Amino acid sequence: MHRLDLDPFNQKTKKFSQFSSLLLLGLTLTLLSIGIIALFSVSGKFVLGKESLASSLMFRQFLWVFVGLIFCFIFSFIDYHRLVEHSFFLLSCGFFLFLLCFVPGIGHKVHGSSRWISIGGFSVEPSEFTKIFLSLFLAQMLKKKKGRDLLYTSPKLITFLIVGLFIALLMISGDLGHSLLYFLLYVLYLYLDGFALKFILPTLGSGILLVLAVGLLMPERRSRLMAFLDMGQDIEGKAYQQWQSLIALGSGGLTGLGLGNSRQKMFYLPESTTDFIFPIIGEELGLLATLFIVGLYLGFVLTAGWISLFAPDKEGLMVGTSLSLLIGMQTLFNLGVVTGLLPNKGFPLPFISYGGSNLLFCLISVGILLNIQRQRSPEFRISIEQKGAQRSINL
């Protein structure tokens, strides 16, 4: 075994780490503001539509933002170690909510996926919150990797079975996108637990192929994939949304048509307030604005990753990296879909798209990241112990 000490951090690096929480919060508020402005512009179409006034939609979004910021503030002061300790209970609650998605009268399908439940007139997507619970649970299992836990069973086996159970439920419900995200969390756990890359890479490839195979067995998902492979042959069918999305982005040019002047939002582009809000922004504000937004997301993920890197322990590293990965991958999937680089899958754009479940997930994640930053290690030093392909990251 040899030890590699990495200590290249100078005074400027320390200063950056100290105000990284302010930077993360600033990026979050900027993205939220962009989302409110974009949604106000897009929702103007509802004045002529069935919802009569855009005010109801805007009121709901303001309500979600307000509630989300309150949760962000609360979770920024809750010690994430306490959340990790109670992660199994939280995950059990998430499993119960998952089951409600299959209960008639409570759960309901959206675009072929049984992943929503109705509570008090609001629709909630349990898979959004369970992502946080699973991140906390994996951190707990990472901490207990050398011992034994439930019924004297290895934590590695417990982790495999529980993650597999949630992925199976997601696949049964038709939510292949979140099943892939959950699988990526498991791969991250394997990496931080010291598994060799010769084991991790085949596992990653097998998981992606499994999700793809299940998708091909579902008629709705298979038709979407076929339409993606040849959009020109199904412009009026399954490829309609992505085709209209590309038209919107192309129409905007460099500087856009002007705020509020989108043509595609006038019922040409479905889901323009949720999954496909980014093309409307591109049409109205142009390429420069979309590149600026992409830069904001890149800055957010890098800042969140930086905070995770200086977590005081491996649990913080696991939780912070998981939440950074989830928000980053969801952003990447959404941008990939609206630009025609990935098959159509219902992923909202974090902080910007209309909707409460994903927005609450993102803002709670920011709160947990802020709490990790508040407990950062006073010594800016990373120690990596390595024996062959086995890694042990000490902070």
Side-chain angles (χ1 to χ4, degrees):
M1 180 182 297
H2 67 275
R3 180 182 294 269
L4 176 62
D5 290 329
L6 304 176
D7 194 12
F9 307 107
N10 53 26
Q11 193 64 28
K12 291 183 179 180
T13 305
K14 294 181 180 180
K15 289 183 178 180
F16 176 79
S17 298
Q18 291 171 354
F19 76 82
S20 56
S21 59
L22 294 178
L23 178 59
L24 185 73
L25 187 59
L27 290 168
T28 299
L29 294 177
T30 302
L31 288 169
L32 286 174
S33 300
I34 292 174
I36 291 295
I37 295 172
L39 186 61
F40 180 78
S41 174
V42 176
S43 62
K45 72 177 184 180
F46 292 112
V47 174
L48 304 177
K50 296 180 181 179
E51 297 197 15
S52 70
L53 291 175
S55 58
S56 61
L57 184 142
M58 292 300 302
F59 172 77
R60 281 175 172 258
Q61 189 68 358
F62 272 117
L63 179 62
W64 285 122
V65 170
F66 177 72
V67 173
L69 289 175
I70 291 178
F71 275 107
C72 179
F73 177 79
I74 293 174
F75 275 87
S76 68
F77 285 95
I78 297 178
D79 188 347
Y80 70 89
H81 295 97
R82 295 178 59 187
L83 297 175
V84 170
E85 290 174 2
H86 297 89
S87 60
F88 186 77
F89 170 75
L90 294 173
L91 199 60
S92 300
C93 294
F95 179 74
F96 174 73
L97 292 176
F98 259 107
L99 296 181
L100 290 180
C101 294
F102 300 96
V103 177
I106 299 179
H108 61 276
K109 285 188 175 182
V110 176
H111 301 305
S113 296
S114 303
R115 54 176 178 165
W116 295 86
I117 58 177
S118 297
I119 300 177
F122 290 91
S123 294
V124 178
E125 189 175 1
S127 58
E128 293 287 357
F129 305 105
T130 312
K131 288 185 293 190
I132 300 177
F133 304 156
L134 185 60
S135 300
L136 297 168
F137 175 76
L138 291 176
Q140 186 182 34
M141 291 297 100
L142 190 67
K143 179 181 179 181
K144 296 182 177 180
K145 69 175 184 176
K146 294 182 179 180
R148 289 184 177 271
D149 199 16
L150 187 64
L151 299 178
Y152 301 99
T153 306
S154 168
K156 291 183 176 64
L157 179 59
I158 294 175
T159 302
F160 174 77
L161 294 176
I162 289 181
V163 175
L165 175 62
F166 276 95
I167 292 178
L169 284 175
L170 286 167
M171 288 185 174
I172 293 173
S173 70
D175 189 358
L176 300 184
H178 273 102
S179 64
L180 181 58
L181 284 180
Y182 279 46
F183 180 75
L184 292 177
L185 282 182
Y186 180 67
V187 171
L188 175 64
Y189 162 79
L190 294 179
Y191 180 80
L192 294 181
D193 200 30
F195 279 79
L197 290 178
K198 65 180 180 180
F199 175 80
I200 294 176
L201 294 179
T203 302
L204 176 61
S206 300
I208 295 175
L209 289 176
L210 176 62
V211 173
L212 181 61
V214 173
L216 291 175
L217 294 176
M218 298 178 177
E220 174 72 17
R221 305 298 183 266
R222 184 172 62 250
S223 60
R224 286 187 186 182
L225 181 60
M226 295 299 104
F228 165 74
L229 295 176
D230 191 2
M231 285 195 292
Q233 298 299 319
D234 197 19
I235 296 178
E236 297 297 326
K238 295 299 181 181
Y240 178 78
Q241 279 184 300
Q242 287 183 296
W243 192 262
Q244 296 297 323
S245 174
L246 294 176
I247 292 175
L249 290 170
S251 301
L254 189 64
T255 58
L257 303 178
L259 188 63
N261 293 329
S262 168
R263 295 186 289 265
Q264 294 303 109
K265 72 181 181 182
M266 302 305 294
F267 302 102
Y268 290 104
L269 180 59
E271 310 297 338
S272 58
T273 60
T274 54
D275 301 346
F276 284 82
I277 194 171
F278 187 78
I280 303 300
I281 296 175
E283 184 182 16
E284 294 188 346
L285 301 179
L287 176 64
L288 295 179
T290 58
L291 291 178
F292 175 70
I293 293 174
V294 171
L296 290 176
Y297 280 115
L298 180 60
F300 178 92
V301 173
L302 291 176
T303 304
W306 186 272
I307 290 174
S308 305
L309 186 64
F310 290 112
D313 46 39
K314 290 182 181 179
E315 299 96 278
L317 177 65
M318 179 68 209
V319 174
T321 308
S322 298
L323 299 178
S324 305
L325 173 70
L326 288 170
I327 295 177
M329 291 304 299
Q330 185 172 310
T331 303
L332 185 63
F333 288 155
N334 179 276
L335 297 181
V337 168
V338 301
T339 54
L341 299 177
L342 293 173
N344 192 358
K345 177 65 190 76
F347 275 116
L349 190 60
F351 303 108
I352 291 181
S353 292
Y354 170 76
S357 297
N358 184 255
L359 185 60
L360 287 180
F361 155 73
C362 292
L363 290 175
I364 290 174
S365 298
V366 170
I368 295 175
L369 286 165
L370 292 176
N371 182 262
I372 293 174
Q373 198 276 339
R374 291 177 64 241
Q375 300 188 51
R376 68 185 186 278
S377 176
E379 296 295 331
F380 292 86
R381 182 171 180 172
I382 305 173
S383 175
I384 301 178
E385 295 181 3
Q386 182 166 336
K387 181 179 182 181
Q390 300 294 320
R391 291 167 306 283
S392 179
I393 303 175
N394 299 318
L395 300 178

